[in-house]
C-alpha cells in the first residue's frame, strides 16, 4: 500500500475523529472533542492512501516547551496495522520536531515496542532538576514551574501531576532524546 504523509487539513478532521473513536472505545486513546481537533489541526499529520485518498492514519506533534514536545493521537486504521504506515507517520513527526529544534519527545502509549523501535525509552518518575542534571527525563526547575501553569492535560500527564494519577489509561510514559 502506497501512502502520502502530509499535513492535515480541516477536511481531514472527520477521518481523524473516526480513527480516534476506534481506539477511544477500547480505552487505548483519550477521546477528544471534535472542536479540539479543529483547534489543533495544524499539529496533525495524516497518511493518505495514494490510490483513493482515504486517510488511514493520523498523528500530532504538540510542542510543550522550547526543547520538549509530545507525540499525540498516533492512530492507524486497524486494517492497515502492520504495513509500516505508523512508522512512516512517526518518522515525519520526529523530522518535524527536529526541524522545530525540539530535543526531547514524550509520549503516553500502550505500544511500547513500537516506540522503542524508534529509540523511545520508558521513564519513571519525572522530577524537576537543576539545569546540569544528567537525567534526560528531568526538566529545569524554572521550566517545571512554567509548565505547571498549563491547562493542557498532556502536560499534566508528562509532569505526572497528582490530578492525573493514576495515569488515566494506565499506559507507559516514554521519552526520546533527539
Amino acid at each position: 500500500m502506497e501512502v502520502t504523509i502530509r499535513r492535515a487539513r480541516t477536511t481531514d478532521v472527520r477521518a481523524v475523529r473516526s480513527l480516534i473513536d476506534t481506539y477511544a472505545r477500547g480505552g487505548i486513546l483519550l477521546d477528544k472533542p471534535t472542536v479540539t481537533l479543529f483547534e489543533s489541526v495544524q499539529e496533525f499529520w495524516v497518511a493518505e492512501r495514494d490510490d483513493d485518498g482515504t486517510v488511514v492514519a493520523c498523528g500530532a506533534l504538540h510542542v510543550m516547551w522550547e526543547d520538549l514536545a509530545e507525540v499525540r493521537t498516533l492512530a492507524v486504521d486497524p486494517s492497515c496495522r502492520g504495513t509500516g504506515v505508523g512508522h512512516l507517520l512517526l518518522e515525519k513527526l520526529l523530522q518535524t520536531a527536529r526541524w522545530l529544534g525540539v530535543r526531547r519527545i514524550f509520549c503516553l502509549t500502550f505500544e511500547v515496542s513500537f516506540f522503542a523501535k524508534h529509540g523511545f525509552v520508558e521513564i519513571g518518575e519525572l522530577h524537576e532538576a537543576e539545569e546540569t542534571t544528567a537525567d534526560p527525563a528531568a526538566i529545569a526547575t524554572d521550566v517545571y514551574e512554567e509548565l505547571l501553569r498549563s491547562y493542557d492535560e498532556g502536560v499534566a500527564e508528562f509532569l505526572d501531576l497528582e490530578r492525573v494519577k493514576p495515569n488515566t489509561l494506565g499506559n507507559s510514559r516514554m521519552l526520546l532524546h533527539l
Side-chain angles (χ1 to χ4, degrees):
M1 174 177 57
E2 298 291 317
V3 296
T4 298
I5 307 295
R6 63 167 175 79
R7 285 281 192 182
R9 299 184 285 257
T10 56
T11 54
D12 297 319
V13 169
R14 304 249 180 262
V16 169
R17 162 91 278 142
S18 179
L19 287 166
I20 292 170
D21 289 347
T22 299
Y23 292 98
R25 281 191 293 272
I28 303 296
L29 284 178
L30 287 175
D31 193 16
K32 294 181 180 192
T34 303
V35 68
T36 301
L37 298 175
F38 279 109
E39 290 171 346
S40 60
V41 72
Q42 70 279 0
E43 296 181 352
F44 276 86
W45 289 80
V46 296
E48 177 182 75
R49 280 208 323 231
D50 290 344
D51 60 351
D52 63 5
T54 301
V55 171
V56 295
C58 66
L61 181 71
H62 179 77
V63 175
M64 295 177 163
W65 198 255
E66 178 181 3
D67 68 339
L68 181 66
E70 179 184 7
V71 169
R72 290 184 173 179
T73 320
L74 186 59
V76 176
D77 185 296
S79 68
C80 299
R81 287 184 61 132
T83 64
V85 173
H87 292 285
L88 291 173
L89 194 50
L90 180 56
E91 282 302 320
K92 179 54 87 172
L93 295 173
L94 297 178
Q95 177 185 21
T96 302
R98 286 182 189 98
W99 181 83
L100 288 169
V102 171
R103 295 189 330 252
R104 294 180 295 173
I105 309 292
F106 161 73
C107 70
L108 291 168
T109 186
F110 288 105
E111 301 292 338
V112 173
S113 64
F114 171 83
F115 282 95
K117 288 176 186 172
H118 292 270
F120 284 79
V121 295
E122 287 189 73
I123 58 174
E125 285 292 312
L126 179 76
H127 54 277
E128 55 187 294
E130 294 306 314
E131 211 52 62
T132 58
T133 185
D135 181 356
I139 55 176
T141 303
D142 60 333
V143 173
Y144 185 90
E145 305 263 332
E146 285 294 322
L147 288 174
L148 285 174
R149 297 178 184 198
S150 176
Y151 294 103
D152 187 285
E153 285 301 306
V155 173
E157 290 273 8
F158 175 72
L159 297 176
D160 204 23
L161 299 180
E162 278 298 319
R163 74 173 195 256
V164 294
K165 286 183 180 175
N167 184 330
T168 0
L169 298 176
N171 47 18
S172 296
R173 297 166 67 230
M174 299 186 79
L175 186 71
L176 171 67
H177 194 82
L178 297 176

